[in-house]
Amino acid sequence: MAKRFTKPAINWAELDKRVPPEQKPQFLVFKAKADNYLRRVNASPPEPPKINWEEYKKVVPIPDLVDKFKSAYEAYKVPVPEDTMTAKVDEQWKSLEPAIKAYCAEQQKHIDTASKALARIAALPKFEDMTMETVYDMYPEYRLDPVNKPTFWPHEPEDQYGYKPPAPPAGAPKEPPKKK
């Protein structure tokens, strides 16, 4: 006989946390259908009803008819489809696990980099307390040095004498010529 489910195997509370807000209506429809199905399964008995064959033998005039029905009733088995998909799903999951672990490791590197950047930002003084001298002490590459590196106002790199724009990355589309 097939395995009877008496409670859902899905952790709906955990799944609800992972559903994006824009997909909540579809999730609620799916959950309602699953709950409805489980209620219908639980409403029917797990075993077929027992029949009092002796009572039928007393009532039915044909002697062997009740025995034929009894043997046919007991011989009948409800066909239950064979589970062939669980093995395939488990196999796919095992083949995907290394890719998932590699992806998680790669994302962990990004998380570590972002955490370091956030820690660096958190270590900065409050914006209200910073002065230009503080910024120049922390980031000397942005400091104006009129003696060693004189610049013209507005002191932006593209406004300086001899400025060359950075080369575009390899494979980037070239800009079309400007119309005059």
Side-chain angles (χ1 to χ4, degrees):
M1 176 170 211
K3 180 180 174 185
R4 182 169 174 89
F5 296 104
T6 56
K7 62 179 183 174
I10 300 171
N11 185 349
W12 291 107
E14 186 64 31
L15 189 59
D16 187 31
K17 293 177 190 173
R18 296 173 184 233
V19 174
E22 64 271 3
Q23 293 181 357
K24 281 284 188 196
Q26 294 95 334
F27 169 73
L28 293 175
V29 168
F30 171 69
K31 184 179 182 312
K33 285 182 181 181
D35 290 343
N36 188 19
Y37 175 75
L38 186 65
R39 256 186 253 110
R40 284 193 341 234
V41 167
N42 288 336
S44 62
E47 298 291 329
K50 302 294 180 194
I51 297 176
N52 186 356
W53 296 105
E54 297 302 321
E55 189 67 32
Y56 280 107
K57 283 184 182 180
K58 293 177 190 174
V59 178
V60 176
I62 303 171
D64 291 338
L65 186 61
V66 174
D67 291 331
K68 286 182 184 177
F69 279 135
K70 181 180 178 182
S71 64
Y73 182 78
E74 290 173 352
Y76 180 72
K77 299 289 182 204
V78 176
V80 178
E82 186 179 329
D83 182 15
T84 59
M85 297 307 290
T86 301
K88 290 180 182 177
V89 169
D90 290 342
E91 183 181 316
Q92 284 180 345
W93 179 253
K94 286 179 183 175
S95 67
L96 285 176
E97 277 184 333
I100 292 170
K101 288 181 180 177
Y103 177 78
C104 289
E106 180 182 332
Q107 294 309 311
Q108 188 61 43
K109 290 178 187 174
H110 293 299
I111 290 170
D112 293 341
T113 304
S115 298
K116 288 177 185 174
L118 285 174
R120 185 181 52 79
I121 291 170
L124 291 174
K126 290 183 183 176
F127 181 75
E128 297 85 19
D129 298 337
M130 288 183 93
T131 62
M132 288 306 293
E133 287 81 12
T134 309
V135 173
Y136 292 150
D137 287 342
M138 294 172 68
Y139 304 102
E141 64 271 14
Y142 296 117
R143 179 183 305 161
L144 294 177
D145 188 3
V147 175
N148 298 325
K149 290 177 16 185
T151 58
F152 297 107
W153 186 87
H155 308 288
E156 297 296 327
E158 55 269 0
D159 295 324
Q160 303 310 311
Y161 179 73
Y163 172 76
K164 293 180 184 173
K174 296 183 179 180
E175 288 188 32
K178 295 182 181 178
K179 295 181 181 177
K180 290 186 180 183

